[in-house]
Amino acid sequence: MSYAGRVPEDRVVVVERNLDRALDEAPPPRRRLEPDDLLRPGTTLSTAEAVAVFRDQVTSRTLDVAARELKAKGAGYYTISSAGHENNAVVGALLRPTDPAFLHYRSGGFMMARSRQVPGVDAVTDTLLSLLAAAGDPISHGRHKVWGSRQLWVPPQTSTIASHIPKAMGAAFAIQRAARVGMSLEIPDDSIVCCSFGDASANHATALAGINAARYSHRRGSRVPVLFVCEDNGIGISVDTPRRWIARNFRHLPHLEYVHAAGELDEVWDAAVAAVAACRNGRRPVFLHLQTVRLWGHAGSDVESGYRSAAEIAATEAQDPLVRNAQRLIALGAASPDDLRDLVAGVRDHVHSQATKLIGSPTLASRQAVMATLAPYDEPASRRDADAVPSHDERRSVHGSALPEDATVAVRRTMAAHINAALHDEMLRRPEMLLFGEDVGRKGGVYNVTSGLQRVFGAARVFDTLLDETTILGVAQGAALLGFLPVPEIQYLAYLHNALDQLRGEAASLGFFSAGQFSNPMVVRVAGLAYQKGFGGHFHNDNSVGALRDIPGLLLSVPSRGDDAAKMLRGVLAVARTTGRVAVFLEPIALYHEKDLHEPGDGGWLSDYPPPGQILLPGDIGVHHPDHGDVLIVTYGNGVRMALRAARRLRGDHGVAARVVDLRWLNPLPLDAVGRAAAGTSAVLVADECRATGGGIADAVVAGLVERGYDGRLGSVRSADSYVPLGPAAGTVLLSEADVVKGAVRILGRGDDTPD
Ligand SMILES: Cc1ncc(C[n+]2csc(CCOP(=O)(O)OP(=O)(O)O)c2C)c(N)n1
């Protein structure tokens, strides 16, 4: 295949010719500067650096043209360009390649400028491979066209605008946190974090959340060196941003330094120098308002003439930064028109020949190859990780004189107490672990699950956040990227949903889109599910795991008993640490303080603390009454206690011997283990406390058993597809013990004569 496609959009050709014409028509400079000379008095931009930045900009532009040509040839898959935004190369040139950068899709100039600072990085080839969705694309292996590089500290970003701003803030926050807790980072202590985005994106709730969180943290005395770069081209796809909207919105915000960058290359440089210095030296959030234009449509497929007049398009093209910068370099004597003509021709030739060579590069060709870095798992490594147990003396320093498993002093415990003790043990042996969320620090959590942890481990490692779930998960991602093992808490499952994109779109996808080169391991503790007595209503009793189960690669676990909870929490932390996985640990609120199983006072739901080192890993299911074989009840969470109570009634009232499986792991479901547990039973009943349609797991378990050749009877009982009402009415929509008994009797064909 040859590389000779026609550019489909005339304006691309027009813009290319404008630059050529400007160079042809420019008068020769009246004087020539030496490479080390400053471009003019008062600027810090040297001649050599100005020409280097111009080269970065031309390279970025030429790659954008190539993207459209490759698309026209049917070889390329992405055409959103950086054309008109190339002055962002100045920011790339001013930052260090170790300053983590979370980039806007139009930050091509930045990427070129950063790449040239690191020997061995070939930004042209890397970008072309990404445009071609080639398996050789070094950052995503062809999974997405992204700006990203492990060597350059540019984590790949998703296409969801603004979604990277909270994690950029989180990474900046983590730089100082590392110093406070004595953790050494891969990047220098005085690093700053860069985060670029568009002007329309600056209105997004997620953007405002991230910027607000940075300002809030600064107000609270934390150092959050994040450089927000708003690349303001005045439009978002087809909708214009009101004039001066960005400046008026961000110029006078407390705890945010605002710097405006516009005009000539050297003026943009000087403004950016001031912004970077304020951020790096002041260790504070800075908002760099970078004036840009958008040349061409939003993407190759966008017909700009549908919403912009010809005059507007031409006026925008007249502000092409490449033309202006070329004219400026020539006028100030940094280069001659011939120099720049040669530079442009050289870059075009290089990009063209590389593209020609790379067309036809292989793409990912199998499902296995595509999914290779989605859900890494290494069981032996997780077991080894969990094995390293601190000494008794060390543990006494956090637990007090008696260890929680010490039979002579310890009472049997509730799930809340077990999780609390396990968190103490894990915080002790993992200095990189951070615990945070709403009310988790001083108060110790709404349900006292994190009680005492701040006192023992200090406010640098156990802290209250501002009230924003998006920020909580953003901080977790940023901190994890830098090497922490964050354990953020979401106070109630219903409140995870307003921040869900941070898990679904962002955290869980990082390993996929970076081919495993970046990871943000974390264990998100979420209090959830229904059946709380005396504290009702949907928002504290949300019973759906649907939104979590469909997240590729996310590990979802739900304990049903205290001892299991301790072992499972250790297990998911070990998996997160050893593989970079993102895990949700969903804690059934109604079981936090439950003590009894069958009768009030029987203490049947209390348990002894399993000593550290004992863990449960994905796939380890719990089997109760393994010798009972009439029916297998498959369940999890609150359903386990319910099913064990139902099993007793089934035995007593119907002579049915029920085996009960506690799934423990809801994503991925341990279907092979369930299949083995079902062997020898004549019926399987799935008892699912979550909403019937899509909210739970019943359909997936039934399908999984059928696919594994289970030939007994199959059925399920589930909660209704309803929000949970307040008070006793909750019982009308939630799965009950009586439902489980009836379901089992029905599936066994014993009639429906169960006394309720
Ligand atoms: C959350 C989200 N909503 C919608 C979109 C679709 N979309 C992609 S880019 C864009 C406009 C962004 O404009 P701006 O932030 O000004 O950046 P620009 O493209 O102009 O550089 C929209 C609406 C998206 N990617 N993400």
Side-chain angles (χ1 to χ4, degrees):
M1 201 171 184
S2 84
Y3 173 72
R6 276 186 55 76
V7 178
E9 164 66 64
D10 286 346
R11 306 317 299 186
V12 174
V13 177
V14 170
V15 165
E16 289 281 89
R17 283 199 194 125
N18 284 347
L19 178 60
D20 295 341
R21 190 174 311 122
L23 292 173
D24 287 343
E25 291 173 358
R30 273 176 291 154
R31 57 179 189 139
R32 283 304 297 269
L33 297 170
E34 295 300 320
D36 289 342
D37 288 345
L38 297 179
L39 214 55
R40 60 165 168 76
T43 184
T44 58
L45 178 59
S46 73
T47 302
E49 184 61 19
V51 174
V53 168
F54 183 71
R55 177 184 292 278
D56 298 330
Q57 298 180 323
V58 173
T59 307
S60 171
R61 175 70 58 85
T62 310
L63 284 164
D64 287 332
V65 176
R68 288 178 185 233
E69 291 173 333
L70 290 169
K71 178 77 168 61
K73 288 298 287 177
Y77 299 91
Y78 190 89
T79 52
I80 299 182
S81 81
S82 303
H85 282 236
E86 288 90 349
N87 276 344
N88 56 35
V90 165
V91 185
L94 283 168
L95 296 181
R96 303 174 188 153
T98 45
D99 290 328
F102 301 71
L103 296 182
H104 187 41
Y105 44 77
R106 299 200 198 280
S107 295
F110 179 110
M111 201 63 189
M112 299 304 124
R114 174 163 286 199
S115 302
R116 83 173 136 87
Q117 298 173 47
V118 179
V121 174
D122 177 356
V124 168
T125 301
D126 294 353
T127 306
L128 289 168
L129 286 169
S130 194
L131 292 168
L132 294 164
D137 153 34
I139 184 62
S140 82
H141 294 187
R143 293 180 177 87
H144 194 28
K145 161 65 183 76
V146 285
W147 295 125
S149 163
R150 186 65 186 84
Q151 273 165 290
L152 301 178
W153 260 105
V154 180
Q157 299 314 318
T158 65
S159 291
T160 312
I161 55 95
S163 57
H164 54 309
I165 298 178
K167 59 179 137 173
M169 174 270 157
F173 175 85
I175 292 173
Q176 184 217 7
R177 215 24 74 128
R180 268 181 74 183
V181 305
M183 197 174 109
S184 61
L185 297 177
E186 186 187 317
I187 56 174
D189 292 349
D190 64 344
S191 298
I192 67 174
V193 174
C194 177
C195 177
S196 53
F197 49 89
D199 47 293
S201 305
N203 299 296
H204 200 279
T206 312
L208 298 173
I211 296 168
N212 179 66
R215 296 173 45 231
Y216 178 98
S217 300
H218 182 257
R219 163 67 184 77
R220 282 221 176 250
S222 290
R223 297 183 166 181
V224 188
V226 56
L227 179 67
F228 297 117
V229 182
C230 180
E231 300 190 11
D232 182 0
N233 61 22
I235 198 164
I237 302 188
S238 66
V239 181
D240 64 317
T241 293
R243 275 158 59 85
R244 290 188 281 282
W245 176 252
I246 295 297
R248 290 206 172 138
N249 263 301
F250 294 99
R251 192 173 42 195
H252 297 305
L253 285 178
H255 308 291
L256 185 68
E257 185 120 351
Y258 170 91
V259 178
H260 189 226
E264 303 300 338
L265 181 64
D266 40 303
E267 293 167 337
V268 170
W269 175 274
D270 292 339
V273 166
V276 172
C279 188
R280 196 177 306 280
N281 305 334
R283 316 304 295 156
R284 53 172 307 170
V286 174
F287 190 99
L288 176 62
H289 181 188
L290 178 64
Q291 217 71 56
T292 66
V293 290
R294 189 193 79 197
L295 300 173
W296 317 332
H298 174 74
S301 55
D302 173 30
V303 182
E304 208 182 3
S305 54
Y307 53 86
R308 262 180 167 179
S309 70
E312 283 170 324
I313 292 172
T316 305
E317 287 167 359
Q319 297 175 56
D320 181 350
L322 261 57
V323 172
R324 289 182 67 175
N325 294 346
Q327 289 168 337
R328 184 74 168 172
L329 292 183
I330 294 167
L332 294 178
S336 69
D338 281 346
D339 293 339
L340 297 190
R341 245 193 312 271
D342 288 351
L343 183 157
V344 170
V347 169
R348 285 179 182 164
D349 280 354
H350 176 60
V351 171
H352 191 276
S353 68
Q354 283 302 100
T356 306
K357 251 195 266 169
L358 295 171
I359 282 181
S361 296
T363 57
L364 293 173
S366 69
R367 184 181 287 190
Q368 198 186 17
V370 169
M371 294 175 65
T373 60
L374 182 61
Y377 183 55
D378 182 342
E379 184 181 329
S382 295
R383 292 202 186 279
R384 278 196 305 277
D385 173 272
D387 267 351
V389 176
S391 71
H392 268 53
D393 285 348
E394 286 173 297
R395 291 187 59 224
R396 282 209 179 88
S397 71
V398 302
H399 288 293
S401 57
L403 296 181
E405 69 272 24
D406 191 341
T408 56
V409 283
V411 288
R412 287 164 71 76
R413 285 158 186 261
T414 59
M415 183 189 287
H418 277 297
I419 295 173
N420 181 273
L423 287 171
H424 276 87
D425 275 323
E426 292 294 310
M427 287 286 287
L428 173 65
R429 70 193 207 88
R430 300 184 189 276
E432 76 283 16
M433 184 168 148
L434 299 175
L435 202 75
F436 52 92
E438 295 154 16
D439 306 299
V440 302
R442 231 165 138 179
K443 178 172 164 62
V446 173
Y447 297 96
N448 298 324
V449 177
T450 53
S451 203
L453 284 152
Q454 189 180 65
R455 194 172 30 76
V456 174
F457 296 102
R461 292 185 61 204
V462 181
F463 51 94
D464 295 317
T465 62
L466 82 176
L467 206 171
D468 178 43
E469 286 73 17
T470 297
T471 296
I472 293 171
L473 296 175
V475 167
Q477 290 170 82
L481 258 168
L482 293 197
F484 283 102
L485 181 56
V487 181
E489 177 185 299
I490 301 293
Q491 206 164 70
Y492 289 96
L493 177 57
Y495 307 136
L496 175 62
H497 295 102
N498 66 34
L500 195 62
D501 176 58
Q502 290 295 311
L503 264 190
R504 171 193 297 277
E506 300 299 311
S509 74
L510 182 64
F512 185 75
F513 289 120
S514 69
Q517 297 169 84
F518 286 100
S519 65
N520 45 26
M522 66 179 78
V523 176
V524 185
R525 293 182 42 249
V526 184
L529 301 177
Y531 304 104
Q532 282 192 80
K533 296 190 193 96
F535 188 47
H538 172 75
F539 301 96
H540 305 99
N541 287 277
D542 191 354
N543 65 330
S544 172
V545 292
L548 292 167
R549 277 208 55 240
D550 81 336
I551 299 177
L554 183 99
L555 193 58
L556 173 61
S557 48
V558 183
S560 67
R561 303 165 42 90
D563 48 359
D564 275 12
K567 292 191 250 181
M568 289 167 70
L569 184 57
R570 294 171 190 152
V572 288
L573 282 164
V575 174
R577 179 72 292 165
T578 53
T579 61
R581 290 281 285 278
V582 175
V584 169
F585 191 68
L586 180 57
E587 301 169 6
I589 302 170
L591 297 175
Y592 270 150
H593 302 299
E594 181 59 69
K595 296 183 177 137
D596 304 326
L597 173 54
H598 294 297
E599 319 294 346
D602 70 6
W605 217 240
L606 298 172
S607 50
D608 296 326
Y609 185 66
Q614 291 188 18
I615 61 166
L616 286 167
L617 287 174
D620 288 341
I621 60 170
V623 184
H624 300 261
H625 309 317
D627 49 333
H628 290 193
D630 292 336
V631 61
L632 172 68
I633 303 173
V634 178
T635 188
Y636 60 93
N638 293 283
V640 177
R641 181 171 170 274
M642 202 183 290
L644 290 173
R645 289 165 61 95
R648 188 156 99 155
R649 280 172 64 181
L650 282 165
R651 185 73 167 182
D653 298 345
H654 303 277
V656 168
R659 190 180 297 174
V660 174
V661 154
D662 180 356
L663 288 166
R664 292 182 180 138
W665 313 95
L666 301 194
N667 194 37
L669 279 168
L671 292 170
D672 289 335
V674 175
R676 286 192 295 275
T681 63
S682 58
V684 172
L685 178 77
V686 186
D688 191 346
E689 66 186 280
C690 281
R691 295 201 285 274
T693 309
I697 46 83
D699 33 16
V701 172
V702 169
L705 285 170
V706 170
E707 283 161 10
R708 280 162 184 75
Y710 182 73
D711 57 4
R713 298 179 185 198
L714 282 163
S716 70
V717 281
R718 328 176 186 191
S719 291
D721 280 325
S722 170
Y723 297 105
V724 178
L726 193 63
T732 63
V733 296
L734 294 174
L735 177 75
S736 69
E737 188 183 319
D739 294 334
V740 180
V741 173
K742 278 187 192 164
V745 169
R746 194 175 57 239
I747 200 172
L748 290 170
R750 306 264 181 105
D752 192 0
D753 56 351
T754 317
D756 280 333

